[in-house]
């Protein structure tokens, strides 16, 4: 039985803190982390939470408190991680297409770094030579899943150094004495197929012979979590077993021990998060019954951006008669959360809980239409704690400079 918050707990949070409201469940995050530890118990692994999924500082502190490391996608995220109390060696910085200045800052902060372009690798080698170990992010030309918007390892992807450039990397290693400690790939998100990870492992293990100082293979994130009822995620036990077998075999053959790193984002926080919205308006139009809620693509863009499916529950009337609704937002764009979705009968004023919203939910929120970003609440030991207040009018205007005295 997986941990969830009850409709009653979610309803009370909505009544207490107002809507729209993001609600997270600390123990669910812990449960997910423990699943990883269990699945990979026979392999030498380290997990770095991909903070980009949800960077609220209280979430980062909680993640640190359960023993997980953190992966950052900008130097600002590195600074947040330091503020949350992570030690530099618990922080990994995997970015793409950034200026060398950010990499210099990360080096000065003493964190692990994965570099994703030949140009920055060359600058790094020239500046630091063998004095600071570094990782390289490769683009392995592996197509993961079917959704191009979340696949990052295929041959047209902007991410990583194309594997075809391996000779260039080796030349740089030789000329600048780069200390290459890590080979990294991240082929995308929601990868259910374990063989995609295995393909990546085979490809990277084949390259190890070129790097005498290599200690780590970093396979990125991308574990699939179930979004629909009856859907299954990545089989973590199968993956754990395959990883253990591959690396054990490699060690026997070559005498080289390698540590495996992963950067799970969604796996740790997605199912722990809910977006609670209130139904403002019911509108019948021909056969379609719209439930218009007090949120929109400004708060959860995944359904509109990625065609993502999120389960929705009517927590005000969980046992009502099922009817079909188009659940839509209040933004001046077509912001449909769900089409022709069967929900227990909805009335104006009801609270709808959009599930699986912990990853890339609040984090991708904006103030479009000059609407406020939601508040965030973290349940810990069944107690709801406010971890971000709702925006107010001052937040909308604080960076603006009025220069016309009209
Ligand atoms: N690592 C890197 C480099 C990423 O770009 C991402 C996501 O974009 C992740 C890890 C986390 O992916 P997921 O949330 O699917 O686990």
């Amino acid at each position: 039985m997986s941990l969830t918050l009850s409709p009653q707990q979610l309803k009370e949070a909505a009544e207490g803190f107002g809507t729209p409201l993001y609600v997270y469940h600390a123990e669910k995050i812990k449960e997910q982390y423990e699943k990883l530890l269990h699945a990979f118990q026979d392999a030498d692994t380290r997990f770095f939470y991909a903070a980009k999924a949800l960077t609220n500082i209280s979430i980062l502190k909680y993640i640190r408190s359960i023993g997980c490391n953190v992966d950052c996608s900008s130097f600002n995220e590195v600074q947040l991680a330091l503020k949350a109390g992570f030690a530099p060696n618990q922080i990994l910085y995997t970015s793409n297409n950034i200026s060398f200045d950010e990499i210099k800052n990360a080096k000065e902060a003493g964190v692990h770094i994965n570099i994703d372009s030949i140009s920055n690798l060359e600058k790094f080698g020239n500046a630091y030579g063998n004095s600071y170990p570094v990782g390289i992010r490769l683009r392995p030309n592996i197509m993961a899943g079917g959704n191009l918007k979340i696949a990052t390892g295929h041959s047209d992807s902007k991410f990583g150094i194309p594997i075809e450039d391996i000779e260039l990397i080796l030349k740089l290693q030789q000329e600048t004495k780069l200390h290459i400690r890590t080979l990294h790939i991240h082929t995308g998100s929601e990868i259910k197929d374990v063989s995609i990870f295995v393909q990546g492992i085979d490809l990277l293990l084949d390259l190890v012979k070129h790097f005498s100082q290599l200690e780590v293979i970093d396979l990125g994130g991308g574990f699939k979590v179930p979004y629909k009822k009856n859907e299954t995620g990545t089989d973590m036990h199968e993956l754990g077993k395959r990883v253990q077998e591959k690396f054990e075999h490699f060690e026997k053959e070559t005498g080289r021990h390698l540590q495996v790193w992963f950067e799970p984002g969604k796996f740790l926080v997605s199912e722990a998060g809910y977006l609670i919205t209130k139904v403002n308006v019911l509108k019948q139009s021909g056969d379609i019954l719209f439930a218009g809620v007090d949120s929109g693509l400004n708060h959860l863009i995944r359904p509109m951006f990625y065609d993502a499916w999120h389960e929705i529950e009517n927590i005000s009337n969980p046992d009502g008669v099922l009817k079909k609704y188009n659940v839509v937002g209040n933004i001046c764009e077509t912001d449909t959360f769900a089409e022709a979705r069967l929900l227990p009968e909805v009335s104006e004023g009801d609270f709808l809980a959009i599930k699986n919203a912990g990853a890339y939910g609040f984090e991708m929120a904006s103030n479009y239409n000059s609407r406020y970003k939601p508040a965030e609440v973290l349940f810990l030991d069944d107690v709801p704690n406010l971890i971000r207040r709702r925006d107010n009018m001052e937040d909308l205007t604080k960076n603006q400079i009025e220069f016309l005295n009209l």
Side-chain angles (χ1 to χ4, degrees), residues 133-178:
V134 76
I136 44 178
R137 178 174 185 172
L138 293 168
R139 194 197 65 204
N141 299 345
I142 294 174
M143 179 63 199
N147 188 341
L148 266 181
K149 281 196 179 148
I150 53 173
T152 53
H154 58 87
S155 58
D156 292 331
S157 161
K158 69 162 186 167
F159 296 96
I161 303 176
I163 190 89
E164 305 84 276
D165 288 347
I166 189 69
E167 291 303 330
L168 265 178
I169 296 170
L170 297 179
K171 190 162 167 272
L172 278 180
Q173 179 180 235
Q174 201 186 14
E175 285 174 4
T176 67
K177 307 282 176 271
L178 268 165

Side-chain angles (χ1 to χ4, degrees), residues 245-257:
E245 284 167 2
K246 285 276 170 196
F247 283 83
E248 200 175 279
H249 179 75
F250 180 80
E251 190 167 343
K252 265 196 198 126
E253 296 259 294
T254 63
R256 294 186 69 174
H257 178 78

Side-chain angles (χ1 to χ4, degrees), residues 48-50 52-53 71-73 94-96 137 150 152 159 184-186 188-191 218 220-224 262-268 359-360:
F48 293 77
Y49 163 59
K52 63 174 79 76
D71 173 50
C72 301
S73 61
T94 312
S95 53
N96 74 92
R137 178 174 185 172
I150 53 173
T152 53
F159 296 96
H184 170 283
I185 54 170
H186 169 77
S189 229
E190 294 185 33
I191 308 166
D218 181 345
F223 307 143
K224 176 163 175 53
F262 285 106
E263 302 157 2
K266 223 172 245 184
F267 188 82
L268 289 175
Y360 312 106

Side-chain angles (χ1 to χ4, degrees), residues 59-75:
I59 299 288
L60 295 181
K61 283 186 173 181
Y62 183 73
I63 298 255
R64 178 179 56 75
S65 78
I66 59 175
C68 189
N69 307 287
V70 66
D71 173 50
C72 301
S73 61
S74 65
F75 188 65

